[in-house]
Amino acid sequence: MKSNLIAAAEIDRLDTWAKYSAPMCGSCVSSCCTLPVEVKIKDLIRIGIVDEFERGEPAKNIAKRLQKEGIVERYSQKTEIFTLQRMSNNDCLYLDRKSRLCTIYEKRPDTCRNHPKIGPRPGYCAYKPKEIVRETSASRRTLEKF
C-alpha cells in the first residue's frame, strides 16, 4: 500500500505545505527564505540599501543601480515592486548559510514579516525539518530529522 505521507514540503508544490504554527520556525531549515522576496522602496530604505533622500528619485533608476550592485533581480514599473536577488542555491541574500537565520531580521522586508499570513499559500509554509546529529554512544552518531 502506498503511503500519502510527505516528509517535507516541496517549495514548488503548494499541496505539500504544512499548516503554519509558530514553533515550526525553530526546527525548520528556513525554506521560506528560498522563495523570491518582493519588496517596495520603503523596505529597501529600512534595510539600508536605499537612502531616504533617494525616495524622490525615479524607482527605475534605483532599480538599475541595485541590479548593477547585484541586490535586485528585477523591478516592475507597473507595481513598483523590486524582487531581491538570490544566491546561487536560491537562498535570500540575507540568509546566513550556516545558521540559516536572517542577518537583517530586525530590518526585514514586509514580505518576510507577513509570511506566511500572506504568500503563495496563506496560513501554510514550506516546512522542512532540520537534520540534527545526536550522539548515541562514544563511537556512533545518528542523523535524525526534528
Side-chain angles (χ1 to χ4, degrees), residues 41 45 49-58 62 65:
I41 195 77
I45 292 169
I49 54 178
V50 172
D51 192 278
E52 181 68 47
F53 296 108
E54 290 179 278
R55 190 184 286 270
E57 193 177 318
I62 295 170
R65 176 178 65 82

Side-chain angles (χ1 to χ4, degrees), residues 55-71:
R55 190 184 286 270
E57 193 177 318
K60 71 177 186 176
N61 293 352
I62 295 170
K64 283 181 187 176
R65 176 178 65 82
L66 296 176
Q67 284 173 323
K68 284 181 185 175
E69 293 176 13
I71 296 170

Side-chain angles (χ1 to χ4, degrees), residues 9-76:
E10 294 178 34
I11 292 286
D12 297 328
R13 289 187 48 209
L14 295 181
D15 61 313
T16 67
W17 287 30
K19 182 88 172 131
Y20 174 76
S21 68
M24 296 168 84
C25 295
S27 63
C28 184
V29 296
S30 304
S31 52
C32 56
C33 298
T34 64
L35 296 168
V37 179
E38 295 180 338
V39 298
K40 295 201 175 240
I41 195 77
K42 68 178 184 168
D43 295 308
L44 298 173
I45 292 169
R46 183 186 316 121
I47 293 168
I49 54 178
V50 172
D51 192 278
E52 181 68 47
F53 296 108
E54 290 179 278
R55 190 184 286 270
E57 193 177 318
K60 71 177 186 176
N61 293 352
I62 295 170
K64 283 181 187 176
R65 176 178 65 82
L66 296 176
Q67 284 173 323
K68 284 181 185 175
E69 293 176 13
I71 296 170
V72 166
E73 183 179 313
R74 63 182 168 270
Y75 171 71
S76 168

Side-chain angles (χ1 to χ4, degrees), residues 6 10-11 28 39-40 42 54 60 78 81 86 90 101 118 120-122 131 141 144:
I6 297 172
E10 294 178 34
I11 292 286
C28 184
V39 298
K40 295 201 175 240
K42 68 178 184 168
E54 290 179 278
K60 71 177 186 176
K78 183 178 178 182
I81 292 177
R86 291 183 284 173
N90 280 338
L101 296 174
I118 298 171
R121 189 170 183 206
E131 291 182 344
R141 294 167 104 187
E144 298 178 16

